[in-house]
Amino acid sequence: MEPLVLGIESTCDETGVALVRGNELLADVVASSMDEHARFGGIVPEVASRAHLEAMIPTIEEALARAGHTLADIDVVAVASGPGLVGSLTVGVAAAKALALGLGKPLYGVNHVIGHAAVDQLVHGEFPDRCMALVVSGGHTSLLLVNDIATDVVELGHTLDDAAGEAFDKVGRLLGLPYPGGPHVDVLARQGNPTAIPFPRALTKPKDLVNHAYDFSFSGLKTAVARWVEACEARGEDVPTADVAASFAAAVSDVLISKAIQACREHGIDTLVIGGGFSANSQLREAAAHRCAQARIEVRIPPIKFCTDNGAMIAALGSAVARRGVTVSDLRMGVDSSMPLTTIVE
Ligand code: KG4
Ligand code: ZN
C-alpha cells in the first residue's frame, strides 16, 4: 500500500493539515488567522506565528479524526519549509520535526509554491509526463516547466515585482475595498466592461520578450490604475469602479494566459495546470478556459478550496516525493523564507 502522508502548511496565515495516500485526499483541515490581520490591512507576522502555535495541535487532531486515523498510522511527515514568513514556517517545521522524531518516520521539507501545482493531482489525477504550471498567489507568480513534479521542475519565469494577487490587493485598497482586496476586485470586475480602459500589458513587447518572455510585471499596471483613478477624480467625475476593476483584471489575466500558452507552445506541452490563491480569480479562470480551448491545451485548475493555502497541497507533494523515493530531509533542516523553485525537497 502507498504511504500515508501527513502534510503541514504554515507559510503565511493558514494552518493547514491534511492526510493523503497516493493521490487520494483523506482529510484536509485549515484554520486561518486572517480575521486577526484584516484590521491592519496586511499580515502581521508575529500575530500569524502565534496563531499557528495555538492552532497546530488542534488542526492535526481534527485531520486525523476526520480521516479515521491515529498518529501511529502515519508513514511520512511532509511540511512546507519555504518560501514564506520565517516565524510562520518555523512553527510548522518544528511541529513536523517533533512528529517525525517521535514517530520515527521520515520527514520531507517541501516547497510551498510547487505544492500549489502538485495539489491538482489529488483532483484530476497524476500529471502527464510533462506539463506547464502557472502558480499565482499573493506572494508568487511563476511559470514552471514540470518534467516531474517530484524531481524535475524548471522555473521559466516569474514576476519581477508584484505578484498577481498582491496587485489585486493593492488595487482593491485603491478602490476602497476591504482587505484582502483580491476577491472583492474579482466580484466588482464581473459587473464592469473589461475593454473600457486600455491598461498596459507589461513585458509583452517584442524587445521585452528577448530577455523576459516568461517574466511578469504588475507594479506598472497598478500605478497606471492609480493614475487613471486620480485623473478621473481631478476632473470631478465619479470613478467607474466596476470598469476600472474589469479592465485591470483583464490586463492581468491576458498577460498570464498569453505567456502560459506561449510557453506550452514553445515546449510542445498540451497541459496547463494553474494553482495558487489567485487561481480562484474568475477572470483568470474564464480567460484560461476560453483561450486554452482555442490553443488546444488542456487546462487543469483545482477547485477554489485547494487554490488558497492548505495542507492538501503539501501532503500531495509529500506523497509524490515519497512514492518516488526522493532522499528524505535532515532533521536539522531549517526554514527558507525565499526558497528557490529549483528546490522541491529541502
Ligand atoms: O496562495 P494564497 O492563498 O496565499 C499566498 O501564498 O499568497 O493567495 C492569496 C492571494 C491574495 O492576494 C488574494 O487577494 C488573492 O490570492 N485572491 C484573489 C482571489 N482569491 C484570492 N485575487 C483575485 N481574485 C480572487 N477571486
Ligand atoms: Zn500560497
Side-chain angles (χ1 to χ4, degrees), residues 189-215:
R190 281 180 233 169
Q191 297 147 31
N193 173 5
T195 60
I197 308 158
F199 285 130
R201 271 69 171 157
L203 302 182
T204 56
K205 295 195 182 79
K207 70 170 170 50
D208 299 322
L209 294 180
V210 180
N211 291 320
H212 297 293
Y214 303 125
D215 289 329

Side-chain angles (χ1 to χ4, degrees), residues 9 15 46 55 57 89 103 114 149 162 167 190 194 209 219 256 267 270-271 277 298 310 316 321 331 338:
E9 150 66 31
T15 314
E46 291 283 326
I57 300 295
L89 287 165
L103 298 171
I114 297 172
I149 193 72
D162 291 350
R190 281 180 233 169
L209 294 180
S219 89
L256 289 171
H267 293 273
D270 58 10
T271 307
E298 187 199 342
N310 60 76
V321 299
L331 272 177
S338 54

Side-chain angles (χ1 to χ4, degrees), residues 2 47 55 60 112-113 133 136 159 166 197 206 216 234 257 307 313 335:
E2 284 162 326
V47 173
I60 293 172
H112 167 90
V113 176
V136 274
T159 179
E166 187 181 1
I197 308 158
F216 306 93
I257 297 304
C307 293
M313 56 194 260
V335 302

Side-chain angles (χ1 to χ4, degrees), residues 113-253:
V113 176
I114 297 172
H116 270 303
V119 71
D120 187 68
Q121 295 205 125
L122 305 182
V123 183
H124 298 113
E126 200 82 3
F127 287 158
D129 277 350
R130 294 165 78 228
C131 61
M132 199 61 70
L134 175 66
V135 176
V136 274
S137 71
H140 286 269
T141 302
S142 289
L143 199 50
L144 310 175
L145 171 59
V146 180
N147 293 312
D148 182 326
I149 193 72
T151 60
D152 187 358
V153 175
V154 181
E155 186 179 33
L156 299 179
H158 55 254
T159 179
L160 304 181
D161 39 59
D162 291 350
E166 187 181 1
F168 262 65
D169 293 340
K170 288 178 177 170
V171 166
R173 191 177 307 158
L174 194 96
L175 297 177
L177 301 170
Y179 175 85
H184 299 281
V185 175
D186 181 340
V187 172
L188 188 60
R190 281 180 233 169
Q191 297 147 31
N193 173 5
T195 60
I197 308 158
F199 285 130
R201 271 69 171 157
L203 302 182
T204 56
K205 295 195 182 79
K207 70 170 170 50
D208 299 322
L209 294 180
V210 180
N211 291 320
H212 297 293
Y214 303 125
D215 289 329
F216 306 93
S217 167
F218 297 113
S219 89
L221 171 61
K222 170 198 70 195
T223 309
V225 174
R227 294 287 163 276
W228 197 93
V229 169
E230 280 163 22
C232 192
E233 286 167 343
R235 291 192 300 272
E237 294 168 12
D238 284 344
V239 178
T241 51
D243 284 352
V244 172
S247 301
F248 160 74
V252 173
S253 60

Side-chain angles (χ1 to χ4, degrees), residues 249-292:
V252 173
S253 60
D254 184 16
V255 177
L256 289 171
I257 297 304
S258 299
K259 294 202 176 208
I261 289 177
Q262 184 51 35
C264 288
R265 287 207 179 109
E266 188 188 322
H267 293 273
I269 284 175
D270 58 10
T271 307
L272 172 65
V273 179
I274 307 184
F278 185 75
S279 58
N281 178 255
S282 56
Q283 290 80 32
L284 179 72
R285 285 177 172 249
E286 268 166 39
H290 177 68
R291 295 188 41 200
C292 288

